[in-house]
Amino acid sequence: MKKKYLALLTALLLTAGIGTGAQAAELKTLTPQQADTVTISAFMAKGDLPNLKKALAAALDNGMTVNEAKEVLVHLYAYTGFPRSLNALGTLDKLVQERRAAGINDEMGPDAAPLDPNADRLARGTEVQTYISGRVVENDFAPIINTFLREHLFYDIFARDVINWQQRELATVGALAGIGNVNPQLNAHFRAAMNTGLTPEQLKEAVAVLNDTVDENTAANAGQVLNGVLK
């Protein structure tokens, strides 16, 4: 079974121009928390609550705090919508209560520090958007959407400090891969992930994690998109 899995994963990743399955299984470049973030985000985006619950339990077992897991699910509402986010948060809440009843006391971790109420949200968000995107982003057809992105996503959300920008981009990549049919955005966020300091090797391994923990089709599509970015 192991040989069959490695052969399948290797074939998939070579087709996409990405490394070997054996390297992915051993997490050569991602931390366990980073890998767990990718898996959690994909299942959340798919609305697969049973598998999300299993992935969240594994993440907590691997040392992710409750507030870190919560922050990933809050962050992703901007990409998957409030219904997916609220259902996922409810799943995490129930899981933590069940684990507590079973004698497992998960570390809560620190809450997010409050943001400066006097900050120029548009200016600060524009700076973050430009840095992460690697260019100035404009939308002449619907300028208001870029205002929302700058003030809310790139300031209100990205300025929060429970998880860092790399973790947020890994979550976004995992979610967009899980949604499917949003390859322009997945392409952009693979690039954004590298702008935050994640390496091509780490993103290759994130695709391998998707294959290992989610499904082949999700990973194959993400691998093709990443291969195009790296070329």
Side-chain angles (χ1 to χ4, degrees), residues 30-105:
L30 294 178
T31 67
Q33 183 174 353
Q34 288 173 325
D36 288 334
T37 296
V38 172
T39 302
I40 288 168
S41 301
F43 282 133
M44 175 197 172
K46 289 177 179 293
D48 186 342
L49 299 182
N51 277 318
L52 172 63
K53 184 176 181 180
K54 294 175 184 177
L56 286 167
L60 295 174
D61 288 338
N62 285 334
M64 184 181 288
T65 69
V66 174
N67 279 338
E68 286 169 341
K70 190 188 302 182
E71 190 68 21
V72 169
L73 304 179
V74 169
H75 169 86
L76 288 177
Y77 103 81
Y79 299 93
T80 67
F82 274 119
R84 290 280 195 259
S85 181
L86 292 171
N87 288 344
L89 287 165
T91 298
L92 175 60
D93 185 14
K94 184 177 179 180
L95 173 65
V96 171
Q97 292 183 44
E98 290 175 353
R99 286 165 66 90
R100 187 178 297 124
I104 303 172
N105 293 311

Side-chain angles (χ1 to χ4, degrees), residues 7-190:
L8 176 64
L9 183 53
T10 299
L12 166 72
L13 296 179
L14 287 177
T15 299
I18 295 176
T20 68
Q23 290 175 329
E26 296 170 3
L27 290 182
K28 296 293 186 180
T29 61
L30 294 178
T31 67
Q33 183 174 353
Q34 288 173 325
D36 288 334
T37 296
V38 172
T39 302
I40 288 168
S41 301
F43 282 133
M44 175 197 172
K46 289 177 179 293
D48 186 342
L49 299 182
N51 277 318
L52 172 63
K53 184 176 181 180
K54 294 175 184 177
L56 286 167
L60 295 174
D61 288 338
N62 285 334
M64 184 181 288
T65 69
V66 174
N67 279 338
E68 286 169 341
K70 190 188 302 182
E71 190 68 21
V72 169
L73 304 179
V74 169
H75 169 86
L76 288 177
Y77 103 81
Y79 299 93
T80 67
F82 274 119
R84 290 280 195 259
S85 181
L86 292 171
N87 288 344
L89 287 165
T91 298
L92 175 60
D93 185 14
K94 184 177 179 180
L95 173 65
V96 171
Q97 292 183 44
E98 290 175 353
R99 286 165 66 90
R100 187 178 297 124
I104 303 172
N105 293 311
D106 296 299
E107 181 182 352
M108 287 300 297
D111 290 317
L115 300 180
D116 180 2
N118 299 314
D120 185 335
R121 295 166 61 240
L122 180 59
R124 295 280 296 277
T126 300
E127 291 174 0
V128 175
Q129 181 192 44
T130 301
Y131 177 85
I132 290 179
S133 301
R135 61 187 177 87
V136 176
V137 179
E138 298 292 350
N139 190 318
D140 294 331
F141 181 68
I144 190 61
I145 197 68
N146 213 25
T147 300
F148 292 158
L149 285 168
R150 289 169 173 173
E151 291 185 345
H152 183 53
L153 175 59
F154 288 108
Y155 180 68
D156 292 343
I157 295 177
F158 268 81
R160 292 168 61 85
D161 61 2
V162 175
I163 57 176
N164 61 31
W165 287 0
Q166 290 185 5
Q167 202 80 356
R168 291 182 186 279
E169 282 303 326
L170 280 173
T172 304
V173 163
L176 294 175
I179 292 173
N181 299 317
V182 289
N183 284 353
Q185 289 74 29
L186 182 56
N187 180 300
H189 279 280
F190 272 132

